[in-house]
Amino acid sequence: KQEVTQIPAALSVPEGENLVLNCSFTDSAIYNLQWFRQDPGKGLTSLLLIQSSQREQTSGRLNASLDKSSGRSTLYIAASQPGDSATYLCAGPKAAGNKLTFGGGTRVLVKP
Amino acid sequence: NAGVTQTPKFQVLKTGQSMTLQCAQDMNHEYMSWYRQDPGMGLRLIHYSVGAGITDQGEVPNGYNVSRSTTEDFPLRLLSAAPSQTSVYFCASSRGNSNQPQHFGDGTRLSIL
C-alpha cells in the first residue's frame, strides 16, 4: 500500500517569504501527483497536477516538482501572502486510475 | 457551472438511523468518488465509480452503500449510522483519464450521536 507523508504538519512564515512544502511517497510507481489547497470548513481545490512523465508544473506563484526516484514532490509558493494561509495536501494514485492516497497535509500560516 | 454539489452541508443523526448524502456534478465527468476526512487520519476513499452502473469499494467501505444510475449523481448511503461514522464527507469527480485533476465538493459535516 502506498503511503504519502507531509512534513511538517504545520508551518508559520512572515509575509513575503517563500514557502517550501514537502510530500514524500513510498511507492515510486505513482501515476501522477496532485497538490490541493483546503481552507477551513471548505472542500479541496486542485492547485497543480504533475504527470509521472513530468518533472514540474507551474501556475503563477506556484511551482511543483516531482522526483519519482527519491519519492518526493515539493510545492514552492513564491512571495507568500496572508491569503496563502490554508492547509496544503498532496495526493496521488498508485496506478493508472483515480483512487487518490492523501498525505496528512501541512497547515500554513502566513503572518502579515 | 456549479461543479460538484453536495447536500446537505450539515447533518446530525442518531445511532441506527439511515440517511443518504447527495452528490451531483455538472461537468459530465465519468469518475466520481467519496472520501471521509478525520483528524489524524486524513482523507480516505470510501467508494468510487468509473461510470454509470459501475461502482467499487475503496479503503473504508464498511457501513456505506453507493449506486451510480446516472453520470451526474453519486449518492452515498449510510445504512445504520454509528458514532464512528462522524466525519466530514467529500465527493469528488474527474474525467476518466487519471491525468486529469479531481474536483471536490464543499463537504457534508455529519455527526452521529
Side-chain angles (χ1 to χ4, degrees), chain A:
Chain A
K1 176 187 175 183
Q2 175 164 254
E3 301 286 342
V4 181
T5 305
Q6 292 183 252
I7 296 173
L11 185 61
S12 180
V13 298
E15 181 178 2
E17 190 167 299
N18 296 331
L19 278 165
V20 180
L21 306 178
N22 299 307
C23 173
S24 62
F25 44 91
T26 57
D27 192 334
S28 63
I30 62 161
Y31 203 70
N32 59 49
L33 197 292
Q34 193 167 358
W35 282 93
F36 295 90
R37 168 184 173 139
Q38 185 175 29
D39 293 292
K42 297 292 187 180
L44 280 69
T45 300
S46 179
L47 298 174
L48 292 167
L49 183 148
I50 314 171
Q51 298 179 21
S52 60
S53 59
Q54 298 176 322
R55 295 297 297 271
E56 65 179 328
Q57 279 283 355
T58 299
S59 176
R61 295 186 293 112
L62 276 60
N63 174 276
S65 64
L66 177 63
D67 184 343
K68 291 181 62 179
S69 61
S70 65
R72 291 182 182 179
S73 177
T74 303
L75 177 66
Y76 298 89
I77 303 178
S80 62
Q81 304 168 359
D84 294 328
S85 298
T87 296
Y88 293 83
L89 300 111
C90 64
K94 180 175 181 179
N98 300 44
K99 298 187 290 182
L100 297 178
T101 300
F102 280 87
T106 296
R107 188 171 66 252
V108 171
L109 175 64
V110 180
K111 296 178 289 186

Side-chain angles (χ1 to χ4, degrees), chain A residues 1 31-32 34 36 38 40-46 49 51-52 89 93 95-104, chain B residues 31 33 35 37 42-45 48 57-59 90 94-107 109:
Chain A
K1 176 187 175 183
Y31 203 70
N32 59 49
Q34 193 167 358
F36 295 90
Q38 185 175 29
K42 297 292 187 180
L44 280 69
T45 300
S46 179
L49 183 148
Q51 298 179 21
S52 60
L89 300 111
N98 300 44
K99 298 187 290 182
L100 297 178
T101 300
F102 280 87
Chain B
Y31 184 87
S33 55
Y35 293 85
Q37 185 174 35
L43 281 127
R44 293 177 291 169
L45 181 65
Y48 66 98
Q57 296 180 350
E59 181 183 358
F90 289 101
S94 67
R95 293 191 182 279
N97 184 332
S98 58
N99 277 324
Q100 298 297 321
Q102 294 206 24
H103 301 262
F104 280 75
D106 283 342
R109 284 145 188 83

Side-chain angles (χ1 to χ4, degrees), chain B residues 41-64:
Chain B
M41 301 294 292
L43 281 127
R44 293 177 291 169
L45 181 65
I46 305 172
H47 283 285
Y48 66 98
S49 169
V50 299
I54 305 170
T55 64
D56 206 346
Q57 296 180 350
E59 181 183 358
V60 288
N62 293 340
Y64 307 96

